[in-house]
Structure formats: C-alpha cells, structure tokens
Amino acid sequence: KKNWNVKTIFTGKNTMTGGRIKRLQKFFKKNETFFLTYGDGLSDVNLNKLIKFHFKNKSLVTLTAVRPPARFGAIKITNRDRVSIFREKSSLDEGWINGGFFVMDYKIFNFIKSDKTFLERDPLEKISQQKKLFAFKHYGFWQCMDTIRDKEIIEKKYKKIF
C-alpha cells in the first residue's frame, strides 16, 4: 500500500477549473501522476482500476465516464407528429458524460494558461485531438450534487445504507 497525501486548496472563487489545477502545480513532482475530482459528486469508482486503465492506455488524462441519472422519459416523434417511441426514464437512453473523477499526468499543466482557463474547453479538447484523453466507463454508483434535488437523492440513499 502506498501513502496517500490529500490536500484541500482554496484557489479563489473567480478561478476557473483549469486555473485551479494550474495553481496545484507546485505540489507535484515532474512526471507525477495524480487523481483529481471536482468535489461535487459521489461515486463508487474503483480507483485502482481507474489508474491501471490510465497507465495501460498511456493516457495524459483519463476521465471517468458515467451515464447521467435519467430525469425524464424519452419520446421520438415522426415527421407526422406521431409518437413512434415512448420510453419511461432510463439512463440507458442517455449518452456518457464526464463524471468528474480524473487521473492526470503532470503534463496537464502545459495545457493550462491562466486562472481564466476552463479545463473542459481548450486543455481537454487539445488533449483529445492528440489522442491522449481516455474515458474509463464506470457502470456503478454515481450521483452529482448540483441541486437541492440531487442533495435529497444522496441523503435518501445514505439513510438506506446507514
């Protein structure tokens, strides 16, 4: 087992996601690989499998891809306004999204210019174009915590477990 070093760093309320990562650069050694999360989601992603996937693919950045929880049912409408498909809520109908749990190599810092950089725009787009961005598909539990409704869902699950 390795020792873990966990830090919580205040990077300023006006700093964008890329800028926040750039401010962490001084805490890492060159060529170091690290985990990163936005901190607004919960998941049971297996971190050992995630990092093995990252190294196997020689990835610069690996994100955890998740299926968003279904909020609405889906319908498909023909050109004559007839409903051809009606499907109640199913996350299988949704695409994959960024679940906010990452493995990153130190080289990520080369893609971030300033506090105004959004990680999800220029850096990840360029890394994707260079074929160094990989998605670890996570089929287990994942829940964002963006709204009061999300908070209530998490609290309800927590009460069932504990």
Side-chain angles (χ1 to χ4, degrees):
K1 295 226 171 191
K2 293 184 179 184
N3 291 328
W4 288 67
N5 185 1
V6 177
K7 293 184 187 295
T8 304
I9 309 298
F10 179 70
T11 57
K13 71 179 192 176
N14 296 320
T15 307
M16 299 299 108
T17 50
R20 291 171 192 246
I21 294 167
K22 185 74 170 176
R23 287 182 176 221
L24 303 177
Q25 186 171 0
K26 65 186 175 190
F27 296 104
F28 297 101
K29 298 174 193 153
K30 290 197 185 218
N31 300 320
E32 190 169 7
T33 299
F34 58 94
F35 288 105
L36 181 123
T37 183
Y38 292 139
D40 63 352
L42 293 174
S43 180
D44 63 357
V45 64
N46 184 316
L47 298 179
N48 290 321
K49 289 182 179 179
L50 176 61
I51 201 157
K52 283 179 186 174
F53 178 89
H54 177 81
F55 287 129
K56 181 184 106 186
N57 288 292
K58 298 178 180 153
S59 184
L60 196 149
V61 174
T62 299
L63 61 81
T64 300
V66 298
R67 298 236 188 227
R71 291 192 190 261
F72 306 101
I75 62 172
K76 187 169 186 177
I77 303 171
T78 67
N79 59 354
R80 294 187 178 177
D81 297 329
R82 182 178 53 84
V83 175
S84 62
I85 295 175
F86 178 90
R87 202 171 294 133
E88 195 47 37
K89 299 174 187 174
S90 169
S91 62
L92 297 175
D93 296 331
E94 303 293 327
W96 292 95
I97 63 167
N98 173 7
F101 294 90
F102 299 88
V103 179
M104 296 184 171
D105 285 354
Y106 188 87
K107 292 176 190 163
I108 185 68
F109 299 116
N110 297 331
F111 292 83
I112 302 169
K113 294 177 184 153
S114 71
D115 281 357
K116 295 180 181 181
T117 302
F118 287 87
L119 173 69
E120 304 78 9
R121 292 191 186 146
D122 214 34
L124 291 186
E125 288 174 6
K126 282 183 179 170
I127 293 166
S128 175
Q129 290 166 359
Q130 292 179 8
K131 299 181 177 22
K132 291 290 187 179
L133 176 64
F134 286 82
F136 176 79
K137 292 179 180 174
H138 177 62
Y139 295 92
F141 174 76
W142 178 85
Q143 177 64 51
C144 62
M145 182 120 127
D146 297 331
T147 65
I148 293 294
R149 181 178 182 267
D150 296 330
K151 177 181 175 281
E152 290 167 354
I153 290 168
I154 290 171
E155 286 174 344
K156 195 178 212 180
K157 288 183 187 263
Y158 176 83
K159 285 177 184 174
K160 281 183 182 178
I161 295 169
F162 300 103

